[in-house]
Amino acid sequence: MKRFNTWNFLADNAVVFIFLVISAAATPISGLSPVSIAQEILTRIGRNCFLVFSLILPIMAGMGINFGMVLGAMAGQIGLIFAVDWNIVGIPGLIFASLIAVPIAALLGWAAGEILNRARGREMVTGYILGFFMDGFYQFVVLYLMGSVIPVHSLNITLSRGYGIRNTLTLDSVRQSLDRLLPLRLSLPGGTVILPMANYLIIGILCLFIIWFRRTKLGQDMRAVGQDQGVAHASGIPVDRTRIIAIVISTILASLGQLIFLQNMGNMATYNAHKQTGFFAAAAILVGGASVSKATIPNVFIGTVLLHLMYIVVPRAGANLFGSAMIGEYFRDAFSYGVIALALVIHAWRKRANADLARASLRGGTEDL
């Protein structure tokens, strides 16, 4: 049996422990009641988990964190623009937006997968830059083509010049339509908590899909590609095609996740809502104990809870301690981006340590690492 190594355990879960300590210290200082914290956490789980789940398959395929998931978020926002323009209300509006978003996301995911295959070994930074490139194209389409070339019927969503979409859209037609579909009210000491069961049901279906997908031939191929591309290619697995499929599925899931996120928010910053999607999803899954080479379903839930617990309590703790909530906001942003850097450093250190151990075993010796 493999011996328990305390140092390795701490290294694997360093980010989790850091966020546990920060959240535990800030919670009593924030002055928030347990019921209000629980309500916020339960709402954010239903709102954000789907986006975080879109990162699992590219990690399984050895492509690291898919920062190019913002392409899917853009597709979801385009679908919502048309749903609002056509004034399709409620769940039918979300379904209509999905029918528009999914094909666009699939096309963008295929293009991104082709590009990432040509940047093998540098997928994360390439996906990040690709998001910047597509953001410019997205803004060109939404700001200039919609209303001039692409028909837009509603004057309420266009700029005063007659074309281009307004900076902020109110999503009254689909606002919290999924959240209110199957609400469950729980009476707790100190207040009532509302659970958006429809969101949880969709997330549960996605979890079952991922579990099933891992057992399929394609899922096994992705795991083999993620472990060693050379061995996978020698085994007859189409490595490039498998990696592209992983990115396509990830981008489609990101588009659906953005729809779930925005319908909960009730409004959309047309030109900015997608920009930080990849960073916040990456921070969440890394906070949950995942790495750029391994991610599981529990990592998504643990990371979402811990990251958003910090988002809830730290600004209030900053306001109570320093008289300004902005202090807490600065800490929140610093830790969000810092956790990504820390996780990447730990991954690089562990990868080099494992390589040193492998070389030592080939020489018949051991090294203290």
Side-chain angles (χ1 to χ4, degrees), residues 78 107 138 323:
I78 290 174
L107 179 62
Y138 165 83

Side-chain angles (χ1 to χ4, degrees), residues 167-186:
N167 292 337
T168 303
L169 289 184
T170 56
L171 305 176
D172 292 335
S173 59
V174 297
R175 183 193 299 269
Q176 297 184 354
S177 54
L178 184 61
D179 299 355
R180 296 172 180 171
L181 183 62
L182 293 172
L184 177 62
R185 296 178 180 273
L186 297 178

Side-chain angles (χ1 to χ4, degrees), residues 5 11 22 43 52 58 131 137 197 202 214 233 295 298-299 312 316:
N5 189 305
I22 294 171
T43 299
V52 184
F137 184 74
M197 295 306 297
I202 291 175
R214 283 175 169 172
H233 179 74
N299 294 145
I312 294 165
R316 289 294 297 272

Side-chain angles (χ1 to χ4, degrees), residues 122-144:
R122 298 291 184 273
E123 291 91 348
M124 287 190 289
V125 66
T126 304
Y128 179 60
I129 299 302
L130 184 61
F132 276 113
F133 168 74
M134 286 306 301
D135 177 56
F137 184 74
Y138 165 83
Q139 294 196 32
F140 172 71
V141 171
V142 175
L143 188 59
Y144 291 101

Side-chain angles (χ1 to χ4, degrees), residues 19 23 26 53 73 89 135 138 140 171 175 184 187 189 241 245 248 255-256 288 303 320 329-330 344 368:
F19 271 75
S23 300
F53 271 114
V89 180
D135 177 56
Y138 165 83
F140 172 71
L171 305 176
R175 183 193 299 269
L184 177 62
S187 296
R241 175 176 171 272
I245 292 174
V248 168
S255 69
L256 298 176
N320 292 338
E329 295 287 347
Y330 297 147
L344 295 177
D368 294 329

Side-chain angles (χ1 to χ4, degrees), residues 107-331:
L107 179 62
L108 293 176
W110 171 80
E114 290 283 0
I115 293 172
L116 295 180
N117 276 340
R118 286 162 173 76
R120 203 178 305 270
R122 298 291 184 273
E123 291 91 348
M124 287 190 289
V125 66
T126 304
Y128 179 60
I129 299 302
L130 184 61
F132 276 113
F133 168 74
M134 286 306 301
D135 177 56
F137 184 74
Y138 165 83
Q139 294 196 32
F140 172 71
V141 171
V142 175
L143 188 59
Y144 291 101
L145 298 187
M146 284 191 168
S148 58
V149 177
I150 302 172
V152 175
H153 305 91
S154 175
L155 296 179
N156 294 327
I157 69 171
T158 56
L159 297 169
S160 58
R161 65 188 182 187
Y163 63 92
I165 306 301
R166 293 181 183 273
N167 292 337
T168 303
L169 289 184
T170 56
L171 305 176
D172 292 335
S173 59
V174 297
R175 183 193 299 269
Q176 297 184 354
S177 54
L178 184 61
D179 299 355
R180 296 172 180 171
L181 183 62
L182 293 172
L184 177 62
R185 296 178 180 273
L186 297 178
S187 296
L188 300 176
T192 301
V193 174
I194 303 175
L195 281 69
M197 295 306 297
N199 301 49
Y200 293 164
L201 180 61
I202 291 175
I203 291 170
I205 293 173
L206 179 57
C207 292
L208 293 176
F209 166 76
I210 292 174
I211 293 172
W212 167 81
F213 184 82
R214 283 175 169 172
R215 298 176 180 176
T216 63
K217 172 66 167 58
L218 181 57
Q220 295 295 327
D221 288 350
M222 283 188 187
R223 294 180 65 180
V225 170
Q227 292 172 0
D228 193 309
Q229 293 185 36
V231 173
H233 179 74
S235 302
I237 296 174
V239 174
D240 288 354
R241 175 176 171 272
T242 302
R243 285 160 54 93
I244 290 174
I245 292 174
I247 293 297
V248 168
I249 296 175
S250 174
T251 309
I252 291 174
L253 292 179
S255 69
L256 298 176
Q258 187 73 346
L259 293 178
I260 295 173
F261 178 86
L262 291 175
Q263 65 84 33
N264 173 267
M265 299 298 293
N267 58 72
M268 180 177 77
T270 308
Y271 303 99
N272 295 309
H274 57 279
K275 288 186 177 181
Q276 300 300 319
T277 302
F279 275 110
F280 288 130
I285 201 168
L286 292 173
V287 168
S291 69
V292 297
S293 59
K294 182 180 179 182
T296 63
I297 291 174
N299 294 145
V300 173
F301 289 110
I302 294 172
T304 302
V305 170
L306 288 178
L307 183 69
H308 287 281
L309 176 60
M310 188 193 73
Y311 283 180
I312 294 165
V313 299
V314 167
R316 289 294 297 272
N320 292 338
L321 280 177
F322 305 103
S324 172
M326 290 305 298
I327 300 293
E329 295 287 347
Y330 297 147
F331 275 109

